[in-house]
Amino acid sequence: MFQFEHMEQKEQRRRKRQKEECNGGKKSKERYTILLCVNSTGEEKLKPLVIGKSLKPRCFKNLNVNKFPMDWRANKRACMNIKLFSEWLSSLNVSIKNQKRKVILFIDNAPCHPVDIELSNIKFRYFPPNTTSKLQPLDQDVIHTFKTNYRKYLVKYITARCTTAQTPNDIKITPLDAIYR
């Protein structure tokens, strides 16, 4: 039994509630969507799927994307869509089939989740509308912990860059930095 959540939708809802303002500079338009998937005990974690705006950012030059600790995909808005989600599901189904297993995947009713897809080794169970944050363990703790750790490492990275930066514009975070920090 697996559960997953992509954080981009939760982050969009949070931003709408807070109506973020940027003081002292331009607000970054760089966005990433991250899909996390774990089994019900949390012992088996699948490779995260990260969606950016560019399939091959300049910072990935001369790097083998297949050796990254996550899967990288891209589209114009850096958002999950039906095509990317269906490709991820098909890949997961092949992996589960090769292991001679069958799983139940609990997902919410986001518009990017196809309801008519049938796979040989994955059965789908959908959370009732507006209950994901109450029922899905990833919403309860895993995503919060992930974001907290990510922000902590990002702040350390930026602080380290401040010692050599001449201006705030000298502190850049590339997609590669975002993935590995």
Side-chain angles (χ1 to χ4, degrees):
M1 172 168 59
F2 285 92
Q3 303 166 352
F4 84 95
E5 173 79 6
H6 36 91
M7 293 184 287
E8 168 255 335
Q9 290 167 333
K10 284 188 62 107
E11 193 66 21
Q12 284 176 350
R13 289 192 301 263
R14 185 188 66 77
R15 279 195 196 104
K16 284 179 187 175
R17 285 192 306 266
Q18 289 184 341
K19 298 202 177 196
E20 285 185 65
E21 290 184 23
C22 182
N23 298 322
K26 289 183 181 178
K27 189 190 306 187
S28 173
K29 293 182 181 179
E30 199 61 40
R31 300 285 180 255
Y32 302 98
T33 297
I34 303 172
L35 180 145
L36 301 173
C37 185
V38 300
N39 69 349
S40 59
T41 63
E43 292 175 7
E44 186 177 350
K45 301 168 189 88
L46 299 182
K47 211 176 188 184
L49 172 67
V50 179
I51 304 169
K53 289 185 179 181
S54 175
L55 191 57
K56 293 192 178 193
R58 278 183 244 148
C59 60
F60 287 7
K61 187 178 180 180
N62 300 324
L63 295 176
N64 184 351
V65 179
N66 295 327
K67 292 187 178 181
F68 284 179
M70 50 57 180
D71 292 323
W72 179 266
R73 299 289 180 274
N75 64 32
K76 289 180 184 177
R77 295 178 52 222
C79 292
M80 181 62 74
N81 59 33
I82 290 177
K83 180 181 180 238
L84 289 175
F85 189 67
S86 297
E87 288 172 2
W88 180 81
L89 286 173
S90 296
S91 173
L92 177 61
N93 189 57
V94 169
S95 174
I96 298 294
K97 190 174 189 176
N98 288 342
Q99 297 171 29
K100 297 181 177 27
R101 297 170 49 197
K102 293 193 178 213
V103 299
I104 297 173
L105 185 64
F106 289 93
I107 58 178
D108 60 16
N109 54 0
C112 61
H113 301 159
V115 291
D116 57 351
I117 192 166
E118 293 203 18
L119 299 170
S120 60
N121 291 59
I122 301 174
K123 298 291 180 215
F124 301 98
R125 295 294 178 259
Y126 295 90
F127 289 115
N130 304 317
T131 61
T132 303
S133 64
K134 305 284 188 256
L135 299 176
Q136 188 163 324
L138 280 174
D139 275 357
Q140 300 288 326
D141 196 34
V142 174
I143 290 174
H144 173 73
T145 303
F146 179 89
K147 285 181 179 182
T148 301
N149 287 332
Y150 178 78
R151 287 179 182 135
K152 180 177 76 174
Y153 288 114
L154 197 57
V155 166
K156 284 182 181 179
Y157 177 78
I158 291 169
T159 304
R161 294 281 183 167
C162 286
T163 59
T164 59
Q166 305 265 329
T167 68
N169 292 334
D170 292 341
I171 303 170
K172 302 255 187 237
I173 300 172
T174 68
L176 190 60
D177 297 327
I179 294 167
Y180 281 104
R181 302 296 173 236

